[in-house]
Amino acid sequence: MQIAYRARDFTEAHIIAGLLQAHGIDAHVGGHYLQGALGEIGASDFSTVHVDDDDFLRARELVGEYEQSRPAEAAPRVPQERPDRYARWFLLALAVTLWCLLVPD
């Protein structure tokens, strides 16, 4: 078996596997057990779609068509840096609490 596709997440891997199976290619999604240490965090880059050696070239053609048919906005984006709102609220609450405790009445 060969890896025909490395998906961003398991949902995308199952979509690709379903696409390949709809075209008569036996596909298997691997990497489910690699996310065990992450718990509820959405794992990425662990999921792969495997196909038989004989079906590899046809599977890559279908995956290529799938990737070309996706709109540009569906392509993976580089996360932009932005401040964490929860950290700001925590620091504000901490500052107010300390101010209330340390400032004499």
Side-chain angles (χ1 to χ4, degrees):
M1 294 198 86
Q2 293 188 25
I3 297 174
Y5 189 70
R6 292 187 187 278
R8 289 185 308 246
D9 53 32
F10 290 114
T11 303
E12 184 182 32
H14 282 284
I15 289 171
I16 295 295
L19 170 75
L20 296 176
Q21 289 170 355
H23 285 85
I25 298 173
D26 188 29
H28 169 73
V29 176
H32 287 283
Y33 299 112
L34 296 176
Q35 77 165 359
L38 297 176
E40 296 295 325
I41 298 173
S44 63
D45 297 331
F46 290 124
S47 49
T48 54
V49 179
H50 300 267
V51 296
D52 289 329
D53 295 337
D54 298 336
D55 295 326
F56 179 73
L57 293 178
R58 178 66 181 135
R60 288 300 305 153
E61 288 176 9
L62 291 169
V63 167
E65 291 172 10
Y66 164 78
E67 289 175 333
Q68 290 176 357
S69 68
R70 290 188 339 191
E73 60 207 31
R77 298 181 197 166
V78 176
Q80 297 177 357
E81 299 239 355
R82 64 179 193 155
D84 187 3
R85 286 189 223 164
Y86 296 110
R88 284 186 176 185
W89 281 108
F90 174 76
L91 291 174
L92 178 63
L94 181 64
V96 169
T97 303
L98 287 174
W99 182 74
C100 290
L101 292 172
L102 297 177
V103 174
D105 288 333

